[in-house]
Amino acid sequence: MTRFLVNLMLTLIASIAIPFTASAQGVRLNLDLPDMAAKASETVDVTLDGAMLRLAGKFLSSNDPDERSAKEMINGLSGIYVRSYEFDHEGEYDKSQAERIRTQLGPSWKKIVKVTSRTKEDVDIYVDMRGDNVTGLLIISAEPKEFTVVNIVGPVDIEKLAGLEGQFGIPHIYRDSKKKHGKDDHND
């Protein structure tokens, strides 16, 4: 997905951020799409449960502000699950797979962001709300040649979410992307 769209999504999320507590845990969604994986030219499969996250957190530096922020966020999480499929040509995957993921969402899940572009890049972000607490996050990104879903299970502090960039296979997509990539995000 283009950095511009991701920056827009995360800015929207941050603008509606409210304080969250760790009183409830979200539900892990089934993100496995074997038919899609079989057709993809490249797949990414990240499966980190709570114990693995805490182990990974031990390798993050408390001296580096970005790594410290990621470490603080993952301490309360039950899991991070990412499935990403890249294809050589447009139309090689069934876009209805996004609906298969959505059918797992119960009444506590609320859509907070929907981005649709003329370049056929669609992004939806859902939060699992238990009272005033966010206990899970789902991101579905459907592009012409790439399909990605991210499910974060556990209490999510939206303001700290950007601290996971560059960790656990999550790309740098929010802070200082212009400086890091050396180009203007709006020209992607």
Side-chain angles (χ1 to χ4, degrees):
M1 94 185 68
T2 66
R3 282 186 304 278
F4 172 74
L5 288 176
V6 173
N7 288 340
L8 175 63
M9 289 183 316
L10 292 174
T11 301
L12 288 172
I13 290 171
S15 71
I16 61 172
I18 57 176
F20 305 106
T21 64
S23 63
Q25 294 297 313
V27 177
R28 178 181 176 190
L29 302 171
N30 179 3
L31 305 180
D32 296 325
L33 303 167
D35 294 341
M36 192 176 288
K39 294 177 185 177
S41 58
E42 182 178 312
T43 63
V44 173
D45 183 334
V46 176
T47 301
L48 297 169
D49 64 13
M52 290 301 296
L53 283 170
R54 281 178 279 297
L55 176 64
K58 291 179 180 181
F59 295 99
L60 297 174
S61 170
S62 294
N63 297 327
D64 179 284
D66 289 336
E67 289 187 18
R68 182 176 51 248
S69 178
K71 190 175 196 174
E72 290 171 2
M73 177 147 182
I74 65 171
N75 279 334
L77 295 179
S78 299
I80 296 176
Y81 307 95
V82 179
R83 302 294 186 269
S84 185
Y85 309 95
E86 191 170 320
F87 302 89
D88 291 327
H89 307 285
E90 288 186 27
E92 285 189 273
Y93 74 91
D94 182 3
K95 288 192 175 193
S96 70
Q97 293 298 323
E99 191 55 37
R100 188 192 75 66
I101 303 290
R102 283 186 198 97
T103 61
Q104 299 176 59
L105 303 179
S108 62
W109 286 88
K110 309 296 181 210
K111 184 186 293 188
I112 61 169
V113 175
K114 178 166 187 62
V115 178
T116 305
S117 75
R118 285 186 272 158
T119 58
K120 301 177 190 170
E121 296 176 3
D122 300 326
V123 179
D124 294 328
I125 300 177
Y126 299 84
V127 291
D128 187 5
M129 295 294 299
R130 308 290 171 102
D132 289 337
N133 303 316
V134 173
T135 62
L137 179 81
L138 173 66
I139 301 171
I140 301 173
S141 172
E143 299 179 32
K145 298 192 311 187
E146 186 174 349
F147 182 80
T148 301
V149 288
V150 176
N151 179 210
I152 298 177
V153 181
V156 178
D157 183 334
I158 300 298
E159 292 180 13
K160 291 182 181 176
L161 185 62
L164 292 178
E165 294 175 324
Q167 311 297 329
F168 317 111
I170 299 171
H172 290 279
I173 52 177
Y174 186 55
R175 282 183 259 133
D176 301 322
S177 61
K178 183 176 178 180
K179 181 171 67 173
K180 287 179 185 175
H181 300 287
K183 54 179 136 174
D184 187 342
D185 293 337
H186 300 283
N187 293 332
D188 287 347

